[in-house]
Amino acid sequence: MQKPSIPKGTRDFSPVEMSRRQYIFDTVRSVFRSYGFAPLETPAMENLSTLLGKYGDEGDKLLFKILNSGDYAANLSQEEMRNASKICEKGLRYDLTVPFARYVVQHQNEIVFPFKRFQIQPVWRADRPQKGRYREFYQCDVDVIGSRSLLNEAELVEIVESVFGKLGIAVTLKINNRKILYGIAETIGHADKMTDITVAIDKLEKIGLDNVNAELRERGLDDTAVAALQPILELTGTNAEKLDKLSQILASSETGMAGIAEMRTLFGYIERAGVTIEVELDLSLARGLNYYTGAIFEVKARDYAIGSICGGGRYDNLTGIFGLPDVSGVGISFGADRIYDVMTGLELFPENVDCSTFVLFANLGAEEESASLRLLSQIRKNGTAAEIYPENGKMKKQMEYADRRNIPYVVIIGSRELETRCATVKDMRSGEQTQVEFDAIAQFFTARN
Amino acid sequence: MQKPSIPKGTRDFSPVEMSRRQYIFDTVRSVFRSYGFAPLETPAMENLSTLLGKYGDEGDKLLFKILNSGDYAANLSQEEMRNASKICEKGLRYDLTVPFARYVVQHQNEIVFPFKRFQIQPVWRADRPQKGRYREFYQCDVDVIGSRSLLNEAELVEIVESVFGKLGIAVTLKINNRKILYGIAETIGHADKMTDITVAIDKLEKIGLDNVNAELRERGLDDTAVAALQPILELTGTNAEKLDKLSQILASSETGMAGIAEMRTLFGYIERAGVTIEVELDLSLARGLNYYTGAIFEVKARDYAIGSICGGGRYDNLTGIFGLPDVSGVGISFGADRIYDVMTGLELFPENVDCSTFVLFANLGAEEESASLRLLSQIRKNGTAAEIYPENGKMKKQMEYADRRNIPYVVIIGSRELETRCATVKDMRSGEQTQVEFDAIAQFFTARN
């Protein structure tokens, strides 16, 4: 018989991986909750009509489609069967944003706006699997929809600071604004080419100024326009200094000036909130998604090279695709897989996060087992995860079990311990053994857990 | 434009529903953890070869199959395309048991046995949707694999008591043993008809003794056998009394007597553990799944009619289907959806479980907002979920928002409050208003949360 396997690009998460992942999810969730965001979940399957056309042609190809149940082929010609939409009505969600937009439109009459929701669920993409890219992965999204206030942007910045502060990851938060990007395009006389310009600017860090200029020319900018762009590409200084210079350059663009005003307000909020992470206005930040209309965010780990670990922005028309126009929102998404890699790489997980059991009782026979079970019950009631080896097996095997499961303490109750009513407690890390009175044992572990 | 919708049989979970569901999952998870069970997750998609043939012909039909990516129809005739396995290699998991067995076999060399794992994930079945039956629903499974000790069964009983105790649901736990059922079949001379006999006995409560006897005759039992079965069907008394009577009736069946000995050991553990929920030996309990080989469990809510809310049993050969024989395990599964319905029906959810935000700051203008943001930050740092209305809108609208979102406290900071450095705190449930000094406000809410 062939050893069973799982589909390529998917993963099992072992107990140790799960405990670490859960630590990330719990941290993210607790921060979201402290800011008043409420949990939402949507089904893994959406109607294909909800998903198709929302992620571009490439995205459509990457959707996992679910074969209709029952006789999917009934009355279909061979040609028709070659058309996936004829045999599949449903697909797996590709991100959490489109299902969220669908939810908001579908439940618009029940929802209390501004609607603050977070959503932590897996998504599926039929991408070619490669290192760090999976066909099933989790997203952790947090959005406010139905409010244009920049206080929402400021709150997301605080959430970024709080989440990564709790996880112990030093980060830089880069901020830009689509209105400023439009203002730049407008100012250099190419308002129609905002996307081309931002795509090129986006590569500044990767390919350098000369290559960006070459690409801009390729994309149809004349020399005057490229020249007009240089002061912007070479902008330096503090965020306030950059905004001051920009406000001179973009003075004639109403949209550009609106973007600058937004950024000034946002930086004001950030400063008054006492945010201590580095927050940088970065004009080369564009982010691929075309639905952003205001602020754009991207977070990078300072001590680990892995690309963006969190990102998002303001969108003014997300629900428009489902027939509800003019509802503005802003949100960010935390990349759990990359955060996991950063934390593993920098050894940031707390020592005990891997221990699913804190205390193991060795099993030395019927009478000893009975005494152990009574103590075990007290220890668990005190909130410590504990178990007993279920069989009276060889001591060596039991100690190996504790060792391999990374259990920090083993309690040994043999005939001598029964007599003295004192358990032998072995610290598996130091090897040290202590005698602890039965009556004091629950407290002993509470103090160490 | 048509209002968007979701596939039939699937559900969105609103913030209130999610908070309640999360409360159930958190409770279950914390109990599992306190007993030393470790979390595991497997991918939503499994290879169809892993899933097919594991749930009977009916189950095969209920698998959701995923269309192969890319050109799924390449080189296929129309006839071939009518064969789902030709165009689908993957399917959505149908339960958590088969993926668990697959995981154990695939990772047998890394796993530390006995392997204690829990798994809380959704499963998908293409069942006809109806009230209380969904195409996507969560299972919460907890299993020990690689140990034959009955201590594991006893531990699961304690877990049942602890979970439902914490949730406030009064339950009865019914226990039976497949070995006893086999012993019965053997004793009445129909060892080959164990399945028929247990299927019939299983209906005792539903259709009554006469109909069960009729069904037994239909299933090929002669009058002597049916007569021999009567003392067993009419068995009454305490668990110990039932076992005593059974040990006389089944004296000649080795398997039956082994089952009785197992039950005596298990009841001994349960008694010594001081389990207070009702635990009843119920011979009419069979449970459909054929892979059980020892103890079988089923839990019912005492005050709410909804069928079984938790169930499971001992299996001796779960991993045999994937080529790893003779690994015994025991596990139970909690039905989150039914538990949710019981708790809703009996109003058992804690009052604050629905409140995603405990405190709302009204927004009365720029200066007031600044003062509010400082206090808000302190309140959040103290662990209370709090938010500020993001716009300086009409007071009535802001109060309505608090009311509709079920937020218990609104803090009002206007010009008078700025002057006196005393916030007005409105208790939304009683309508009462209190003045609280700025410096004392974080503590004020910590005490009430």
Side-chain angles (χ1 to χ4, degrees):
Chain A
M1 192 182 281
Q2 218 191 329
K3 206 172 170 185
S5 63
I6 51 177
K8 61 179 179 186
T10 69
R11 292 166 290 173
D12 287 317
F13 295 112
S14 71
V16 167
E17 290 163 325
M18 272 303 294
S19 299
R20 294 174 167 209
R21 288 172 65 85
Q22 205 64 52
Y23 176 76
I24 296 172
F25 292 136
D26 287 347
T27 303
V28 167
R29 189 182 292 117
S30 76
V31 174
F32 291 170
R33 279 190 175 279
S34 75
Y35 281 80
F37 288 85
L40 177 75
E41 279 190 11
T42 61
M45 298 185 257
E46 293 275 352
N47 292 321
L48 268 183
S49 56
T50 299
L51 302 175
L52 284 168
K54 308 304 188 300
Y55 308 105
D57 290 347
E58 198 49 39
D60 282 355
K61 281 185 205 145
L62 299 183
L63 292 173
F64 279 111
K65 299 172 188 78
I66 292 163
L67 193 66
N68 293 342
S69 320
D71 187 5
Y72 61 89
N75 304 322
L76 291 188
S77 70
Q78 185 167 13
E79 202 41 45
E80 284 170 323
M81 274 197 276
R82 288 181 183 278
N83 178 354
S85 334
K86 293 277 182 196
I87 56 175
C88 299
E89 277 168 8
K90 296 180 286 292
L92 294 179
R93 67 174 164 254
Y94 181 88
D95 69 2
L96 302 178
T97 307
V98 167
F100 174 53
R102 190 266 309 146
Y103 178 87
V104 169
V105 176
Q106 191 176 335
H107 298 273
Q108 53 185 284
N109 298 322
E110 305 133 48
I111 291 172
V112 191
F113 291 99
F115 181 38
K116 301 176 77 168
R117 88 85 173 80
F118 70 88
Q119 193 167 352
I120 301 178
Q121 288 192 281
V123 301
W124 295 271
R125 298 182 183 179
D127 253 322
R128 206 162 52 84
Q130 58 187 69
K131 190 177 155 23
R133 188 194 285 165
Y134 305 102
R135 293 186 145 193
E136 173 180 59
F137 58 96
Y138 270 74
Q139 293 191 332
C140 312
D141 280 22
V142 58
D143 290 78
V144 196
I145 194 162
S147 163
R148 290 178 193 276
S149 166
L150 292 162
L151 208 42
N152 299 304
E153 273 85 342
E155 201 163 72
L156 294 179
V157 171
E158 285 189 50
I159 285 176
V160 166
E161 176 176 51
S162 182
V163 164
F164 291 113
K166 279 176 199 283
L167 295 177
I169 303 176
V171 295
T172 298
L173 172 64
K174 298 188 170 195
I175 307 191
N176 197 0
N177 191 300
R178 271 287 164 100
K179 293 194 178 80
I180 294 180
L181 291 175
Y182 179 82
I184 292 170
E186 197 177 34
T187 300
I188 66 168
H190 279 287
D192 58 317
K193 291 215 181 297
M194 184 184 80
T195 308
D196 290 294
I197 296 170
T198 57
V199 166
I201 294 182
D202 193 21
K203 297 182 182 166
L204 190 55
E205 210 174 316
K206 250 189 222 159
I207 63 174
L209 185 60
D210 288 347
N211 291 317
V212 165
N213 285 335
E215 180 160 341
L216 287 166
R217 285 190 193 94
E218 266 172 46
R219 286 173 181 270
L221 264 69
D222 55 34
D223 286 349
T224 325
V226 172
L229 201 57
Q230 297 312 299
I232 292 164
L233 293 177
E234 289 165 353
L235 213 58
T236 55
T238 65
N239 295 329
E241 286 165 0
K242 285 182 189 169
L243 287 172
D244 284 347
K245 286 182 206 158
L246 269 177
S247 69
Q248 293 163 11
I249 304 173
L250 307 185
S252 64
S253 163
E254 202 181 317
T255 306
M257 292 307 281
I260 291 168
E262 284 182 6
M263 286 299 97
R264 282 179 169 149
T265 304
L266 178 54
F267 284 123
Y269 276 129
I270 292 171
E271 202 186 315
R272 282 195 299 282
V275 167
T276 57
I277 56 168
E278 194 193 18
V279 179
E280 187 198 337
L281 175 67
D282 181 353
L283 293 180
S284 76
L285 174 68
R287 290 188 69 80
L289 290 166
N290 273 318
Y291 52 70
Y292 293 129
T293 50
I296 324 172
F297 303 103
E298 199 165 274
V299 180
K300 287 192 173 176
R302 295 172 71 93
D303 306 321
Y304 198 85
I306 198 169
S308 151
I309 54 177
C310 173
R314 161 77 59 179
Y315 42 83
D316 280 340
N317 199 20
L318 189 66
T319 55
I321 47 174
F322 296 117
L324 183 67
D326 295 328
V327 183
S328 187
V330 59
I332 51 172
S333 181
F334 289 78
D337 287 298
R338 285 191 177 173
I339 293 173
Y340 183 96
D341 289 345
V342 172
M343 293 190 66
T344 304
L346 299 175
E347 296 182 14
L348 295 176
F349 286 106
E351 188 184 23
N352 283 342
V353 85
D354 296 353
C355 313
S356 41
T357 293
F358 197 68
V359 182
L360 174 76
F361 278 76
N363 193 328
L364 302 179
E367 207 184 329
E368 293 84 351
E369 187 187 271
S370 275
S372 299
L373 287 172
R374 280 191 296 276
L375 298 180
L376 189 56
S377 156
Q378 291 168 21
I379 290 172
R380 283 172 179 153
K381 283 208 178 88
N382 266 29
T384 302
E387 60 182 280
I388 181 167
Y389 196 80
E391 277 127 33
N392 173 9
K394 282 190 187 129
M395 197 58 184
K396 182 161 173 284
K397 199 176 167 190
Q398 300 193 35
M399 296 308 270
E400 258 176 33
Y401 173 83
D403 194 45
R404 288 190 59 195
R405 277 205 54 201
N406 200 18
I407 299 175
Y409 291 98
V410 174
V411 178
I412 299 156
I413 296 182
S415 50
R416 191 167 55 91
E417 283 82 2
L418 277 181
E419 218 167 277
T420 58
R421 297 185 58 78
C422 258
T424 301
V425 176
K426 181 169 182 179
D427 181 326
M428 295 295 283
R429 287 167 187 158
S430 67
E432 201 183 325
Q433 297 205 358
T434 324
Q435 298 299 118
V436 183
E437 282 185 34
F438 284 6
D439 291 342
I441 202 159
Q443 188 46 43
F444 178 88
F445 290 116
T446 312
R448 280 160 182 79
N449 194 358
Chain B
M1 190 182 283
Q2 217 190 327
K3 205 174 172 182
S5 63
I6 51 176
K8 62 180 177 183
T10 69
R11 293 167 288 174
D12 287 318
F13 295 112
S14 71
V16 167
E17 289 163 324
M18 271 304 293
S19 300
R20 293 173 167 209
R21 288 172 64 86
Q22 204 64 53
Y23 176 76
I24 295 172
F25 292 135
D26 287 347
T27 303
V28 167
R29 189 183 292 118
S30 75
V31 174
F32 290 169
R33 279 190 175 280
S34 76
Y35 280 81
F37 287 85
L40 176 76
E41 279 191 12
T42 60
M45 296 185 259
E46 294 275 353
N47 292 320
L48 268 183
S49 56
T50 299
L51 302 174
L52 284 169
K54 307 304 188 299
Y55 309 104
D57 290 347
E58 198 48 40
D60 282 355
K61 282 185 203 144
L62 300 183
L63 291 174
F64 278 112
K65 299 170 187 79
I66 293 162
L67 193 66
N68 292 342
S69 321
D71 188 4
Y72 61 89
N75 304 322
L76 291 188
S77 70
Q78 184 166 15
E79 201 42 44
E80 285 170 323
M81 274 197 274
R82 288 180 185 280
N83 178 354
S85 336
K86 294 275 183 196
I87 56 176
C88 299
E89 277 167 9
K90 295 180 286 292
L92 294 179
R93 69 172 162 254
Y94 181 87
D95 69 4
L96 303 179
T97 307
V98 166
F100 174 52
R102 191 264 311 144
Y103 178 87
V104 169
V105 176
Q106 191 176 337
H107 299 273
Q108 51 185 286
N109 298 323
E110 305 134 48
I111 291 172
V112 191
F113 292 99
F115 182 39
K116 302 176 75 168
R117 87 87 174 77
F118 70 87
Q119 194 169 352
I120 301 177
Q121 289 192 282
V123 301
W124 295 270
R125 299 183 183 178
D127 254 321
R128 206 161 53 83
Q130 56 187 68
K131 189 176 158 17
R133 189 194 286 167
Y134 304 102
R135 293 186 144 192
E136 173 180 57
F137 58 97
Y138 270 75
Q139 292 191 332
C140 312
D141 280 21
V142 59
D143 290 79
V144 196
I145 195 161
S147 163
R148 290 177 194 278
S149 166
L150 292 162
L151 208 44
N152 299 304
E153 273 85 344
E155 201 162 72
L156 294 179
V157 171
E158 285 188 51
I159 286 176
V160 166
E161 176 177 49
S162 182
V163 165
F164 291 113
K166 280 177 198 285
L167 294 177
I169 303 177
V171 295
T172 298
L173 171 64
K174 297 187 171 196
I175 306 192
N176 197 0
N177 190 299
R178 271 288 164 101
K179 293 194 178 79
I180 295 180
L181 291 174
Y182 179 82
I184 292 170
E186 198 177 32
T187 300
I188 66 168
H190 280 286
D192 58 315
K193 290 214 184 300
M194 185 185 81
T195 310
D196 290 293
I197 296 170
T198 56
V199 167
I201 294 182
D202 193 23
K203 297 182 180 165
L204 192 56
E205 209 175 317
K206 252 190 217 155
I207 64 175
L209 185 59
D210 289 348
N211 290 318
V212 166
N213 286 336
E215 182 161 338
L216 288 167
R217 284 192 194 91
E218 267 172 46
R219 285 173 180 269
L221 265 67
D222 55 34
D223 286 350
T224 324
V226 172
L229 201 59
Q230 297 311 298
I232 292 165
L233 294 176
E234 287 166 352
L235 214 59
T236 55
T238 65
N239 295 328
E241 287 166 358
K242 285 183 190 170
L243 287 172
D244 285 344
K245 285 182 207 162
L246 269 177
S247 68
Q248 294 164 11
I249 304 173
L250 307 184
S252 64
S253 162
E254 202 181 319
T255 306
M257 292 307 282
I260 290 169
E262 285 182 4
M263 287 299 97
R264 281 179 171 149
T265 304
L266 177 54
F267 283 123
Y269 276 129
I270 291 172
E271 203 186 316
R272 283 195 298 282
V275 167
T276 56
I277 56 168
E278 193 192 17
V279 180
E280 187 197 336
L281 174 66
D282 182 351
L283 294 180
S284 76
L285 175 66
R287 289 189 70 82
L289 290 166
N290 273 317
Y291 52 72
Y292 292 130
T293 51
I296 324 171
F297 303 102
E298 200 165 276
V299 180
K300 288 192 171 174
R302 296 172 70 92
D303 307 321
Y304 198 84
I306 200 171
S308 151
I309 54 177
C310 173
R314 160 76 61 176
Y315 41 83
D316 280 341
N317 199 20
L318 189 66
T319 56
I321 46 175
F322 296 116
L324 183 68
D326 295 326
V327 184
S328 188
V330 58
I332 51 172
S333 181
F334 289 77
D337 287 299
R338 284 192 177 171
I339 293 172
Y340 182 97
D341 289 346
V342 172
M343 293 189 65
T344 305
L346 298 175
E347 296 182 12
L348 295 176
F349 286 106
E351 187 184 23
N352 283 343
V353 84
D354 296 352
C355 312
S356 41
T357 293
F358 197 69
V359 181
L360 174 77
F361 278 76
N363 193 328
L364 302 180
E367 206 183 331
E368 292 84 350
E369 187 187 89
S370 276
S372 298
L373 286 173
R374 279 192 296 275
L375 298 180
L376 188 56
S377 157
Q378 292 166 22
I379 290 171
R380 284 173 179 154
K381 283 208 179 89
N382 267 28
T384 302
E387 60 182 278
I388 181 166
Y389 196 81
E391 276 127 33
N392 173 10
K394 282 190 188 128
M395 198 57 183
K396 184 161 173 286
K397 199 177 168 190
Q398 299 192 36
M399 295 309 266
E400 258 176 33
Y401 172 83
D403 194 44
R404 288 190 60 197
R405 276 206 52 202
N406 200 18
I407 299 174
Y409 291 98
V410 173
V411 177
I412 299 155
I413 296 182
S415 50
R416 190 168 54 91
E417 283 83 2
L418 277 182
E419 216 167 279
T420 59
R421 295 186 58 79
C422 260
T424 301
V425 176
K426 181 167 180 178
D427 180 327
M428 295 297 283
R429 288 167 185 157
S430 67
E432 201 183 324
Q433 297 204 0
T434 324
Q435 298 299 118
V436 182
E437 283 184 33
F438 283 5
D439 292 340
I441 203 158
Q443 188 45 45
F444 178 87
F445 290 117
T446 311
R448 279 159 183 77
N449 192 359

